[in-house]
Amino acid sequence: MAEDSPKRRKANFNEAETEVLIEQVLKHEQLLFAAGPGRASPGQKRKVWELIRHKVNPVAACPRDVEDLKKRWRDLKRRDRSKLCRLSQGCGPPGSPALGLLLAPEELPPAPPA
């Protein structure tokens, strides 16, 4: 019943993996996330995610499965949404929402004085 070694977590995504993931998901965004009557079937989406996995794994620190990639994509979207929200509240110059995409908090411009 007791395992000899505890389950170890996978290595963090490196910059190359993240770039390939973003590039490939955006390339296939219509197939993966489209709504309505013209949307892709679950089988088609699974094939696209497998294709993305095959593109990411050559640059990966450790082998990634489709669920790892989906989770990373959700995390990136959530993180970027919160950064865009902070920018829209006056942290950056008006009209530059792309500035918050994929930046670490310390890379964002300072908030204007109150």
Side-chain angles (χ1 to χ4, degrees), residues 20-89:
V20 172
L21 175 63
I22 292 169
E23 173 188 314
Q24 291 299 311
V25 169
L26 292 178
K27 181 178 176 181
H28 300 287
E29 186 175 24
Q30 186 64 32
L31 271 174
L32 293 172
F33 308 115
R39 69 176 179 238
S41 71
Q44 290 170 315
K45 290 179 183 183
R46 188 172 32 256
K47 286 180 184 177
V48 171
W49 279 110
E50 283 294 327
L51 173 75
I52 294 170
R53 183 178 66 86
H54 286 294
K55 299 274 185 167
V56 170
N57 275 338
V59 297
C62 64
R64 305 291 183 185
D65 58 28
V66 170
E67 288 308 311
D68 295 334
L69 299 176
K70 287 180 179 181
K71 182 180 184 316
R72 178 65 173 163
W73 178 251
R74 283 190 305 268
D75 290 348
L76 286 169
K77 283 194 323 183
R78 179 181 38 80
R79 188 182 77 191
D80 290 343
R81 228 177 277 134
S82 72
K83 286 180 184 178
L84 284 174
C85 180
R86 279 186 273 156
L87 280 175
S88 68
Q89 293 173 355

Side-chain angles (χ1 to χ4, degrees), residues 83 86-87 91 99-101 103-111:
K83 286 180 184 178
R86 279 186 273 156
L87 280 175
C91 291
L99 182 61
L101 294 176
L103 293 179
E106 60 273 9
E107 295 173 308
L108 288 172

